[in-house]
Amino acid sequence: MKAHFVLFVISLTCSGLSFASTFEPHSTLTALKERVELAIDKFERTQPQDWSYRVERFEDEEGNITNRIELFDPSLERPKQWQLLSINEQKPSQQQSIEFVKHKQELASKEQQQFSVKLRSLIQLDTLKFTAQDRQYVYANFDVKIEELGEDASKVLKGSLIYDKNNGYIKTIEVVNTASFSPVFTASIHELKLVFSFLNINDSVLLKQQALAMKGRFAFFTEINEVSTDTFYDYRYVGQ
């Protein structure tokens, strides 16, 4: 079973956030919610097509391992914006390159962009809970809603985040399940872990890495065991 989740970036650059060294429950939680909401507003205004980058994609699906390195450069004309640089440490064949570009064009036609996400649905602001803080970071938990996984998943998915106080952005988001759930009929997910980490570059917050680990069963007979990691690097601003 191929499982792909909407992958995303969060732009959370805010100024002036100050948490007291001694935690005051009401004021600190209120401030955290306000900054996260402002960060979501900024994320929604982000123009991901202003950045070029490379991404290394690793997938292990039931032992079938694939490793690709891709390049995205929005300054080029559309058919050439995505390039497949290598697959399993080998230069791709002409056919592999053609199929890769075709797949990217199909995603673009469906408006499935690399950094597209319904952040307001994923992070339920009303459920945000302060858990701890130190000199640099604030730690918080929240309930998670991913519409594509159904209502059952929303009941058992829990999220946590690490907020960088000094630089005003979310450093890490992690989503895990607390019980099994069924995203589709006859499929059961027993273990799920999603981790997203971010970079702060010139007052912009960009995706550094996204990782998925998932185990379960499909149709009562087929094991689901998938691990994937996408690592983004070599960011270059190409916007106006």
Side-chain angles (χ1 to χ4, degrees), residues 44-105:
E44 292 173 340
R45 298 191 301 270
T46 297
Q47 300 298 317
Q49 63 268 27
D50 287 344
W51 294 86
S52 71
Y53 55 86
R54 295 176 187 241
V55 54
E56 181 174 357
R57 303 188 192 277
F58 170 85
E59 290 186 13
D60 182 352
E61 188 177 359
E62 286 79 49
N64 183 17
I65 297 176
T66 304
N67 193 307
R68 303 192 309 275
I69 297 180
E70 306 170 7
L71 171 65
F72 176 70
D73 187 347
S75 66
L76 302 177
E77 58 187 39
R78 187 171 294 276
K80 298 180 180 180
Q81 288 183 347
W82 279 102
Q83 298 177 46
L84 180 61
L85 301 182
S86 70
I87 180 167
N88 295 332
E89 301 182 352
Q90 301 292 325
K91 183 178 179 179
S93 67
Q94 183 177 7
Q95 184 61 34
Q96 287 173 324
S97 296
I98 291 173
E99 291 177 354
F100 171 80
V101 172
K102 181 180 178 181
H103 175 65
K104 292 297 185 180
Q105 290 176 333

Short mmCIF file of all heavy atoms in Angstrom, two decimals, residues 44-105:
data_model
loop_
_atom_site.label_atom_id
_atom_site.label_comp_id
_atom_site.label_asym_id
_atom_site.label_seq_id
_atom_site.Cartn_x
_atom_site.Cartn_y
_atom_site.Cartn_z
N GLU A 44 0.61 31.21 5.01
CA GLU A 44 -0.37 31.22 3.93
C GLU A 44 -0.04 32.26 2.87
O GLU A 44 -0.52 32.17 1.74
CB GLU A 44 -1.77 31.45 4.50
CG GLU A 44 -2.26 30.28 5.34
CD GLU A 44 -3.58 30.55 6.04
OE1 GLU A 44 -3.94 31.74 6.20
OE2 GLU A 44 -4.25 29.57 6.43
N ARG A 45 0.80 33.23 3.22
CA ARG A 45 1.23 34.23 2.24
C ARG A 45 2.56 33.87 1.59
O ARG A 45 3.03 34.58 0.69
CB ARG A 45 1.36 35.61 2.92
CG ARG A 45 0.07 36.15 3.49
CD ARG A 45 0.22 37.61 3.89
NE ARG A 45 1.27 37.81 4.88
CZ ARG A 45 1.06 37.78 6.20
NH1 ARG A 45 -0.16 37.53 6.68
NH2 ARG A 45 2.06 38.00 7.05
N THR A 46 3.15 32.78 2.02
CA THR A 46 4.45 32.38 1.50
C THR A 46 4.35 31.99 0.03
O THR A 46 3.38 31.35 -0.39
CB THR A 46 5.00 31.18 2.30
OG1 THR A 46 5.21 31.59 3.65
CG2 THR A 46 6.32 30.69 1.73
N GLN A 47 5.35 32.37 -0.75
CA GLN A 47 5.41 32.04 -2.17
C GLN A 47 6.54 31.02 -2.38
O GLN A 47 7.69 31.40 -2.59
CB GLN A 47 5.65 33.30 -3.00
CG GLN A 47 4.59 34.36 -2.86
CD GLN A 47 3.23 33.86 -3.33
OE1 GLN A 47 3.13 33.20 -4.35
NE2 GLN A 47 2.18 34.19 -2.58
N PRO A 48 6.26 29.71 -2.30
CA PRO A 48 7.33 28.71 -2.41
C PRO A 48 8.04 28.73 -3.75
O PRO A 48 9.17 28.26 -3.86
CB PRO A 48 6.59 27.38 -2.19
CG PRO A 48 5.17 27.68 -2.52
CD PRO A 48 4.93 29.10 -2.11
N GLN A 49 7.39 29.26 -4.79
CA GLN A 49 8.03 29.31 -6.11
C GLN A 49 9.17 30.32 -6.17
O GLN A 49 9.83 30.45 -7.19
CB GLN A 49 7.00 29.63 -7.20
CG GLN A 49 6.35 30.99 -7.09
CD GLN A 49 5.06 30.96 -6.29
OE1 GLN A 49 4.88 30.10 -5.43
NE2 GLN A 49 4.16 31.89 -6.58
N ASP A 50 9.41 31.03 -5.06
CA ASP A 50 10.53 31.98 -5.01
C ASP A 50 11.85 31.31 -4.65
O ASP A 50 12.88 31.97 -4.60
CB ASP A 50 10.25 33.09 -3.99
CG ASP A 50 9.20 34.08 -4.49
OD1 ASP A 50 8.92 34.09 -5.70
OD2 ASP A 50 8.65 34.82 -3.65
N TRP A 51 11.82 30.00 -4.40
CA TRP A 51 13.03 29.30 -3.94
C TRP A 51 13.36 28.11 -4.84
O TRP A 51 12.48 27.35 -5.23
CB TRP A 51 12.84 28.78 -2.52
CG TRP A 51 12.68 29.87 -1.50
CD1 TRP A 51 11.53 30.51 -1.15
CD2 TRP A 51 13.72 30.46 -0.73
NE1 TRP A 51 11.79 31.46 -0.19
CE2 TRP A 51 13.13 31.45 0.09
CE3 TRP A 51 15.10 30.24 -0.63
CZ2 TRP A 51 13.86 32.22 0.98
CZ3 TRP A 51 15.83 31.00 0.26
CH2 TRP A 51 15.22 31.98 1.06
N SER A 52 14.63 27.97 -5.15
CA SER A 52 15.12 26.74 -5.76
C SER A 52 15.78 25.90 -4.67
O SER A 52 16.25 26.44 -3.65
CB SER A 52 16.12 27.03 -6.87
OG SER A 52 17.34 27.50 -6.35
N TYR A 53 15.82 24.59 -4.85
CA TYR A 53 16.40 23.72 -3.85
C TYR A 53 16.63 22.33 -4.42
O TYR A 53 16.11 21.97 -5.50
CB TYR A 53 15.48 23.61 -2.62
CG TYR A 53 14.08 23.16 -2.94
CD1 TYR A 53 13.75 21.80 -3.03
CD2 TYR A 53 13.07 24.08 -3.18
CE1 TYR A 53 12.47 21.39 -3.34
CE2 TYR A 53 11.79 23.68 -3.50
CZ TYR A 53 11.49 22.34 -3.58
OH TYR A 53 10.22 21.93 -3.90
N ARG A 54 17.39 21.55 -3.70
CA ARG A 54 17.54 20.13 -4.00
C ARG A 54 16.85 19.33 -2.90
O ARG A 54 16.77 19.79 -1.76
CB ARG A 54 19.02 19.74 -4.08
CG ARG A 54 19.75 20.41 -5.23
CD ARG A 54 21.23 20.08 -5.23
NE ARG A 54 21.92 20.87 -6.24
CZ ARG A 54 22.57 20.35 -7.28
NH1 ARG A 54 22.64 19.04 -7.42
NH2 ARG A 54 23.16 21.14 -8.16
N VAL A 55 16.38 18.15 -3.26
CA VAL A 55 15.73 17.29 -2.27
C VAL A 55 16.17 15.85 -2.51
O VAL A 55 16.17 15.36 -3.64
CB VAL A 55 14.19 17.41 -2.32
CG1 VAL A 55 13.66 17.17 -3.73
CG2 VAL A 55 13.54 16.45 -1.34
N GLU A 56 16.63 15.22 -1.44
CA GLU A 56 16.98 13.80 -1.50
C GLU A 56 15.84 13.00 -0.88
O GLU A 56 15.50 13.20 0.29
CB GLU A 56 18.29 13.52 -0.75
CG GLU A 56 18.70 12.06 -0.81
CD GLU A 56 20.06 11.80 -0.21
OE1 GLU A 56 20.72 12.77 0.21
OE2 GLU A 56 20.46 10.61 -0.16
N ARG A 57 15.27 12.11 -1.66
CA ARG A 57 14.12 11.33 -1.21
C ARG A 57 14.53 9.86 -1.03
O ARG A 57 15.00 9.21 -1.97
CB ARG A 57 12.98 11.42 -2.23
CG ARG A 57 12.53 12.84 -2.51
CD ARG A 57 11.28 12.85 -3.38
NE ARG A 57 10.97 14.16 -3.91
CZ ARG A 57 10.31 15.12 -3.26
NH1 ARG A 57 9.89 14.88 -2.02
NH2 ARG A 57 10.08 16.29 -3.82
N PHE A 58 14.32 9.37 0.18
CA PHE A 58 14.60 7.97 0.50
C PHE A 58 13.29 7.28 0.83
O PHE A 58 12.50 7.78 1.64
CB PHE A 58 15.56 7.86 1.69
CG PHE A 58 15.70 6.46 2.22
CD1 PHE A 58 16.61 5.59 1.65
CD2 PHE A 58 14.92 6.01 3.27
CE1 PHE A 58 16.74 4.28 2.12
CE2 PHE A 58 15.05 4.71 3.76
CZ PHE A 58 15.95 3.85 3.18
N GLU A 59 13.03 6.13 0.20
CA GLU A 59 11.82 5.35 0.48
C GLU A 59 12.18 3.89 0.68
O GLU A 59 12.95 3.33 -0.11
CB GLU A 59 10.81 5.47 -0.67
CG GLU A 59 10.18 6.83 -0.81
CD GLU A 59 9.09 6.86 -1.88
OE1 GLU A 59 8.68 5.76 -2.32
OE2 GLU A 59 8.66 7.95 -2.28
N ASP A 60 11.64 3.30 1.71
CA ASP A 60 11.75 1.86 1.96
C ASP A 60 10.34 1.35 2.16
O ASP A 60 9.76 1.50 3.24
CB ASP A 60 12.62 1.59 3.19
CG ASP A 60 12.80 0.09 3.46
OD1 ASP A 60 12.11 -0.72 2.79
OD2 ASP A 60 13.61 -0.26 4.33
N GLU A 61 9.79 0.76 1.12
CA GLU A 61 8.41 0.27 1.16
C GLU A 61 8.42 -1.25 1.08
O GLU A 61 8.65 -1.83 0.02
CB GLU A 61 7.60 0.85 0.01
CG GLU A 61 6.12 0.54 0.11
CD GLU A 61 5.33 1.18 -1.01
OE1 GLU A 61 5.93 1.88 -1.85
OE2 GLU A 61 4.11 0.98 -1.05
N GLU A 62 8.22 -1.88 2.25
CA GLU A 62 8.26 -3.33 2.35
C GLU A 62 9.56 -3.89 1.76
O GLU A 62 9.56 -4.91 1.05
CB GLU A 62 7.05 -3.98 1.66
CG GLU A 62 5.74 -3.87 2.42
CD GLU A 62 5.11 -2.48 2.26
OE1 GLU A 62 5.00 -2.01 1.12
OE2 GLU A 62 4.76 -1.88 3.28
N GLY A 63 10.68 -3.21 2.03
CA GLY A 63 11.97 -3.68 1.57
C GLY A 63 12.37 -3.20 0.20
O GLY A 63 13.52 -3.43 -0.23
N ASN A 64 11.49 -2.54 -0.51
CA ASN A 64 11.81 -1.98 -1.82
C ASN A 64 12.36 -0.57 -1.63
O ASN A 64 11.61 0.37 -1.36
CB ASN A 64 10.57 -1.97 -2.71
CG ASN A 64 10.86 -1.47 -4.11
OD1 ASN A 64 12.01 -1.42 -4.53
ND2 ASN A 64 9.82 -1.11 -4.83
N ILE A 65 13.67 -0.42 -1.76
CA ILE A 65 14.35 0.83 -1.42
C ILE A 65 14.62 1.66 -2.67
O ILE A 65 15.12 1.15 -3.67
CB ILE A 65 15.66 0.55 -0.67
CG1 ILE A 65 15.35 -0.15 0.67
CG2 ILE A 65 16.43 1.84 -0.42
CD1 ILE A 65 16.59 -0.56 1.44
N THR A 66 14.28 2.93 -2.57
CA THR A 66 14.55 3.88 -3.65
C THR A 66 15.17 5.14 -3.07
O THR A 66 14.74 5.62 -2.02
CB THR A 66 13.25 4.26 -4.40
OG1 THR A 66 12.61 3.07 -4.88
CG2 THR A 66 13.55 5.17 -5.58
N ASN A 67 16.18 5.65 -3.74
CA ASN A 67 16.83 6.88 -3.32
C ASN A 67 16.96 7.78 -4.54
O ASN A 67 17.59 7.41 -5.53
CB ASN A 67 18.21 6.57 -2.72
CG ASN A 67 18.79 7.76 -1.99
OD1 ASN A 67 18.88 8.85 -2.55
ND2 ASN A 67 19.18 7.57 -0.75
N ARG A 68 16.36 8.98 -4.47
CA ARG A 68 16.42 9.91 -5.59
C ARG A 68 16.92 11.27 -5.11
O ARG A 68 16.64 11.67 -3.99
CB ARG A 68 15.04 10.11 -6.23
CG ARG A 68 14.37 8.86 -6.72
CD ARG A 68 13.16 9.20 -7.58
NE ARG A 68 12.26 10.14 -6.95
CZ ARG A 68 11.29 9.80 -6.09
NH1 ARG A 68 11.13 8.54 -5.75
NH2 ARG A 68 10.49 10.72 -5.57
N ILE A 69 17.61 11.96 -6.00
CA ILE A 69 17.96 13.36 -5.77
C ILE A 69 17.33 14.18 -6.87
O ILE A 69 17.52 13.90 -8.06
CB ILE A 69 19.48 13.57 -5.73
CG1 ILE A 69 20.10 12.79 -4.56
CG2 ILE A 69 19.81 15.06 -5.60
CD1 ILE A 69 21.60 12.93 -4.45
N GLU A 70 16.55 15.19 -6.48
CA GLU A 70 15.82 16.01 -7.43
C GLU A 70 16.23 17.47 -7.26
O GLU A 70 16.68 17.89 -6.20
CB GLU A 70 14.31 15.89 -7.20
CG GLU A 70 13.82 14.46 -7.22
CD GLU A 70 12.37 14.34 -6.75
OE1 GLU A 70 11.72 15.40 -6.55
OE2 GLU A 70 11.89 13.20 -6.59
N LEU A 71 16.06 18.24 -8.32
CA LEU A 71 16.33 19.67 -8.31
C LEU A 71 15.08 20.41 -8.74
O LEU A 71 14.46 20.05 -9.74
CB LEU A 71 17.48 20.01 -9.26
CG LEU A 71 17.75 21.50 -9.51
CD1 LEU A 71 18.20 22.20 -8.24
CD2 LEU A 71 18.77 21.68 -10.62
N PHE A 72 14.71 21.44 -7.97
CA PHE A 72 13.61 22.31 -8.35
C PHE A 72 14.14 23.72 -8.52
O PHE A 72 14.75 24.28 -7.62
CB PHE A 72 12.51 22.31 -7.27
CG PHE A 72 11.39 23.26 -7.57
CD1 PHE A 72 10.51 23.02 -8.62
CD2 PHE A 72 11.21 24.41 -6.82
CE1 PHE A 72 9.47 23.91 -8.91
CE2 PHE A 72 10.18 25.30 -7.09
CZ PHE A 72 9.32 25.04 -8.14
N ASP A 73 13.92 24.30 -9.72
CA ASP A 73 14.38 25.65 -10.01
C ASP A 73 13.25 26.40 -10.71
O ASP A 73 13.06 26.27 -11.93
CB ASP A 73 15.62 25.62 -10.89
CG ASP A 73 16.23 27.02 -11.07
OD1 ASP A 73 15.54 28.01 -10.73
OD2 ASP A 73 17.36 27.12 -11.57
N PRO A 74 12.49 27.19 -9.97
CA PRO A 74 11.33 27.89 -10.56
C PRO A 74 11.71 29.01 -11.52
O PRO A 74 10.84 29.57 -12.18
CB PRO A 74 10.60 28.43 -9.33
CG PRO A 74 11.66 28.60 -8.31
CD PRO A 74 12.63 27.48 -8.55
N SER A 75 13.00 29.35 -11.59
CA SER A 75 13.41 30.40 -12.52
C SER A 75 13.46 29.89 -13.96
O SER A 75 13.53 30.69 -14.90
CB SER A 75 14.78 30.96 -12.12
OG SER A 75 15.79 29.99 -12.28
N LEU A 76 13.40 28.57 -14.13
CA LEU A 76 13.41 27.98 -15.47
C LEU A 76 11.99 27.88 -16.01
O LEU A 76 11.02 27.98 -15.26
CB LEU A 76 14.05 26.59 -15.43
CG LEU A 76 15.49 26.52 -14.90
CD1 LEU A 76 15.96 25.08 -14.85
CD2 LEU A 76 16.43 27.36 -15.77
N GLU A 77 11.86 27.67 -17.32
CA GLU A 77 10.53 27.48 -17.90
C GLU A 77 9.93 26.20 -17.36
O GLU A 77 10.64 25.26 -16.99
CB GLU A 77 10.61 27.46 -19.43
CG GLU A 77 11.53 26.38 -19.98
CD GLU A 77 11.70 26.51 -21.48
OE1 GLU A 77 11.79 27.65 -21.98
OE2 GLU A 77 11.75 25.46 -22.15
N ARG A 78 8.61 26.14 -17.32
CA ARG A 78 7.90 25.10 -16.58
C ARG A 78 8.35 23.67 -16.85
O ARG A 78 8.54 22.90 -15.91
CB ARG A 78 6.40 25.24 -16.81
CG ARG A 78 5.56 24.32 -15.94
CD ARG A 78 4.09 24.67 -16.04
NE ARG A 78 3.81 25.98 -15.49
CZ ARG A 78 3.61 26.20 -14.18
NH1 ARG A 78 3.65 25.21 -13.32
NH2 ARG A 78 3.37 27.42 -13.75
N PRO A 79 8.53 23.22 -18.10
CA PRO A 79 8.89 21.81 -18.29
C PRO A 79 10.24 21.45 -17.68
O PRO A 79 10.52 20.28 -17.44
CB PRO A 79 8.91 21.66 -19.82
CG PRO A 79 8.09 22.78 -20.33
CD PRO A 79 8.31 23.91 -19.37
N LYS A 80 11.09 22.46 -17.43
CA LYS A 80 12.44 22.19 -16.95
C LYS A 80 12.62 22.54 -15.47
O LYS A 80 13.74 22.43 -14.94
CB LYS A 80 13.46 22.98 -17.77
CG LYS A 80 13.47 22.59 -19.25
CD LYS A 80 14.49 23.41 -20.01
CE LYS A 80 14.51 23.04 -21.49
NZ LYS A 80 15.50 23.85 -22.24
N GLN A 81 11.55 22.93 -14.80
CA GLN A 81 11.68 23.35 -13.40
C GLN A 81 12.11 22.19 -12.50
O GLN A 81 12.87 22.39 -11.56
CB GLN A 81 10.37 23.97 -12.91
CG GLN A 81 10.10 25.34 -13.50
CD GLN A 81 8.84 25.97 -12.95
OE1 GLN A 81 8.01 25.31 -12.32
NE2 GLN A 81 8.67 27.26 -13.20
N TRP A 82 11.60 20.99 -12.77
CA TRP A 82 11.98 19.81 -12.00
C TRP A 82 12.96 18.97 -12.81
O TRP A 82 12.72 18.71 -13.99
CB TRP A 82 10.76 18.97 -11.64
CG TRP A 82 9.99 19.46 -10.46
CD1 TRP A 82 8.82 20.16 -10.47
CD2 TRP A 82 10.34 19.28 -9.09
NE1 TRP A 82 8.42 20.42 -9.19
CE2 TRP A 82 9.32 19.90 -8.32
CE3 TRP A 82 11.39 18.66 -8.44
CZ2 TRP A 82 9.34 19.91 -6.93
CZ3 TRP A 82 11.42 18.67 -7.05
CH2 TRP A 82 10.40 19.30 -6.31
N GLN A 83 14.03 18.54 -12.18
CA GLN A 83 15.00 17.67 -12.84
C GLN A 83 15.34 16.51 -11.90
O GLN A 83 15.54 16.71 -10.70
CB GLN A 83 16.28 18.43 -13.18
CG GLN A 83 16.09 19.58 -14.14
CD GLN A 83 17.39 20.32 -14.37
OE1 GLN A 83 18.44 19.72 -14.59
NE2 GLN A 83 17.34 21.65 -14.31
N LEU A 84 15.41 15.31 -12.45
CA LEU A 84 15.84 14.14 -11.71
C LEU A 84 17.34 14.00 -11.88
O LEU A 84 17.83 13.71 -12.98
CB LEU A 84 15.12 12.89 -12.22
CG LEU A 84 15.47 11.56 -11.53
CD1 LEU A 84 15.15 11.61 -10.05
CD2 LEU A 84 14.75 10.41 -12.21
N LEU A 85 18.10 14.23 -10.81
CA LEU A 85 19.56 14.22 -10.90
C LEU A 85 20.14 12.82 -10.77
O LEU A 85 21.12 12.49 -11.44
CB LEU A 85 20.16 15.14 -9.83
CG LEU A 85 19.72 16.61 -9.89
CD1 LEU A 85 20.42 17.40 -8.80
CD2 LEU A 85 20.00 17.21 -11.26
N SER A 86 19.56 12.01 -9.89
CA SER A 86 20.05 10.63 -9.73
C SER A 86 18.95 9.76 -9.15
O SER A 86 18.04 10.25 -8.47
CB SER A 86 21.29 10.59 -8.83
OG SER A 86 20.94 10.89 -7.49
N ILE A 87 19.06 8.47 -9.41
CA ILE A 87 18.15 7.50 -8.83
C ILE A 87 18.97 6.28 -8.43
O ILE A 87 19.70 5.71 -9.25
CB ILE A 87 17.00 7.12 -9.81
CG1 ILE A 87 16.06 6.11 -9.16
CG2 ILE A 87 17.52 6.64 -11.15
CD1 ILE A 87 14.76 5.93 -9.91
N ASN A 88 18.91 5.94 -7.16
CA ASN A 88 19.72 4.86 -6.59
C ASN A 88 21.20 5.05 -6.94
O ASN A 88 21.90 4.12 -7.35
CB ASN A 88 19.22 3.50 -7.07
CG ASN A 88 17.82 3.21 -6.56
OD1 ASN A 88 17.41 3.69 -5.52
ND2 ASN A 88 17.07 2.42 -7.31
N GLU A 89 21.66 6.31 -6.79
CA GLU A 89 23.05 6.70 -6.98
C GLU A 89 23.53 6.52 -8.41
O GLU A 89 24.75 6.48 -8.67
CB GLU A 89 23.97 5.93 -6.01
CG GLU A 89 23.60 6.17 -4.54
CD GLU A 89 24.54 5.45 -3.60
OE1 GLU A 89 25.39 4.66 -4.07
OE2 GLU A 89 24.45 5.69 -2.38
N GLN A 90 22.62 6.43 -9.36
CA GLN A 90 22.96 6.32 -10.76
C GLN A 90 22.30 7.44 -11.54
O GLN A 90 21.24 7.94 -11.17
CB GLN A 90 22.50 4.96 -11.33
CG GLN A 90 23.08 3.75 -10.65
CD GLN A 90 24.57 3.60 -10.89
OE1 GLN A 90 25.08 3.93 -11.96
NE2 GLN A 90 25.30 3.10 -9.88
N LYS A 91 22.94 7.85 -12.63
CA LYS A 91 22.33 8.83 -13.50
C LYS A 91 21.08 8.25 -14.12
O LYS A 91 21.09 7.11 -14.61
CB LYS A 91 23.32 9.24 -14.61
CG LYS A 91 22.77 10.33 -15.52
CD LYS A 91 23.80 10.72 -16.57
CE LYS A 91 23.24 11.80 -17.49
NZ LYS A 91 24.24 12.21 -18.52
N PRO A 92 19.95 8.97 -14.10
CA PRO A 92 18.70 8.41 -14.63
C PRO A 92 18.77 8.22 -16.14
O PRO A 92 19.47 8.96 -16.85
CB PRO A 92 17.66 9.46 -14.25
CG PRO A 92 18.44 10.73 -14.13
CD PRO A 92 19.77 10.33 -13.59
N SER A 93 18.05 7.22 -16.62
CA SER A 93 17.94 7.01 -18.05
C SER A 93 17.03 8.08 -18.65
O SER A 93 16.33 8.80 -17.93
CB SER A 93 17.36 5.63 -18.35
OG SER A 93 16.01 5.56 -17.91
N GLN A 94 17.03 8.19 -19.96
CA GLN A 94 16.19 9.17 -20.62
C GLN A 94 14.72 8.91 -20.31
O GLN A 94 13.94 9.83 -20.06
CB GLN A 94 16.42 9.15 -22.13
CG GLN A 94 15.61 10.21 -22.88
CD GLN A 94 15.91 10.21 -24.37
OE1 GLN A 94 16.62 9.34 -24.86
NE2 GLN A 94 15.36 11.17 -25.09
N GLN A 95 14.34 7.63 -20.30
CA GLN A 95 12.95 7.27 -20.01
C GLN A 95 12.57 7.63 -18.58
O GLN A 95 11.48 8.12 -18.32
CB GLN A 95 12.72 5.78 -20.27
CG GLN A 95 11.28 5.33 -20.10
CD GLN A 95 10.33 6.02 -21.06
OE1 GLN A 95 10.70 6.33 -22.20
NE2 GLN A 95 9.10 6.27 -20.62
N GLN A 96 13.47 7.36 -17.65
CA GLN A 96 13.21 7.71 -16.25
C GLN A 96 13.04 9.22 -16.09
O GLN A 96 12.16 9.67 -15.34
CB GLN A 96 14.34 7.21 -15.36
CG GLN A 96 14.35 5.71 -15.16
CD GLN A 96 15.57 5.23 -14.41
OE1 GLN A 96 16.68 5.76 -14.58
NE2 GLN A 96 15.40 4.21 -13.57
N SER A 97 13.84 9.99 -16.78
CA SER A 97 13.74 11.45 -16.71
C SER A 97 12.43 11.93 -17.30
O SER A 97 11.78 12.83 -16.75
CB SER A 97 14.92 12.09 -17.45
OG SER A 97 16.14 11.77 -16.83
N ILE A 98 12.01 11.34 -18.41
CA ILE A 98 10.75 11.71 -19.05
C ILE A 98 9.57 11.40 -18.14
O ILE A 98 8.67 12.23 -17.95
CB ILE A 98 10.59 10.98 -20.40
CG1 ILE A 98 11.61 11.52 -21.40
CG2 ILE A 98 9.17 11.16 -20.95
CD1 ILE A 98 11.65 10.75 -22.71
N GLU A 99 9.58 10.22 -17.53
CA GLU A 99 8.49 9.83 -16.63
C GLU A 99 8.46 10.71 -15.39
O GLU A 99 7.39 11.05 -14.88
CB GLU A 99 8.65 8.36 -16.24
CG GLU A 99 8.41 7.40 -17.40
CD GLU A 99 8.65 5.96 -17.02
OE1 GLU A 99 9.12 5.73 -15.87
OE2 GLU A 99 8.38 5.07 -17.84
N PHE A 100 9.63 11.09 -14.90
CA PHE A 100 9.72 11.96 -13.73
C PHE A 100 9.08 13.31 -14.02
O PHE A 100 8.26 13.80 -13.25
CB PHE A 100 11.18 12.11 -13.33
CG PHE A 100 11.43 13.15 -12.28
CD1 PHE A 100 11.20 12.88 -10.94
CD2 PHE A 100 11.89 14.42 -12.63
CE1 PHE A 100 11.43 13.84 -9.97
CE2 PHE A 100 12.13 15.38 -11.66
CZ PHE A 100 11.89 15.09 -10.33
N VAL A 101 9.46 13.93 -15.13
CA VAL A 101 8.92 15.24 -15.50
C VAL A 101 7.41 15.14 -15.72
O VAL A 101 6.66 16.02 -15.29
CB VAL A 101 9.63 15.78 -16.75
CG1 VAL A 101 8.92 17.04 -17.26
CG2 VAL A 101 11.09 16.08 -16.45
N LYS A 102 6.96 14.09 -16.36
CA LYS A 102 5.53 13.89 -16.60
C LYS A 102 4.76 13.82 -15.29
O LYS A 102 3.69 14.42 -15.14
CB LYS A 102 5.30 12.62 -17.41
CG LYS A 102 3.84 12.36 -17.74
CD LYS A 102 3.67 11.08 -18.55
CE LYS A 102 2.20 10.79 -18.83
NZ LYS A 102 2.03 9.53 -19.60
N HIS A 103 5.33 13.09 -14.32
CA HIS A 103 4.68 12.96 -13.01
C HIS A 103 4.58 14.32 -12.31
O HIS A 103 3.55 14.67 -11.74
CB HIS A 103 5.46 11.98 -12.14
CG HIS A 103 4.96 11.87 -10.74
ND1 HIS A 103 3.72 11.36 -10.42
CD2 HIS A 103 5.54 12.22 -9.55
CE1 HIS A 103 3.55 11.38 -9.11
NE2 HIS A 103 4.64 11.92 -8.57
N LYS A 104 5.66 15.10 -12.36
CA LYS A 104 5.65 16.42 -11.74
C LYS A 104 4.64 17.34 -12.41
O LYS A 104 3.96 18.14 -11.74
CB LYS A 104 7.04 17.04 -11.79
CG LYS A 104 8.07 16.33 -10.93
CD LYS A 104 7.72 16.39 -9.45
CE LYS A 104 8.80 15.78 -8.60
NZ LYS A 104 8.47 15.82 -7.15
N GLN A 105 4.50 17.24 -13.71
CA GLN A 105 3.53 18.06 -14.43
C GLN A 105 2.10 17.67 -14.07
O GLN A 105 1.23 18.53 -13.95
CB GLN A 105 3.75 17.93 -15.95
CG GLN A 105 5.02 18.60 -16.43
CD GLN A 105 5.28 18.37 -17.91
OE1 GLN A 105 4.84 17.38 -18.48
NE2 GLN A 105 6.00 19.29 -18.52
#
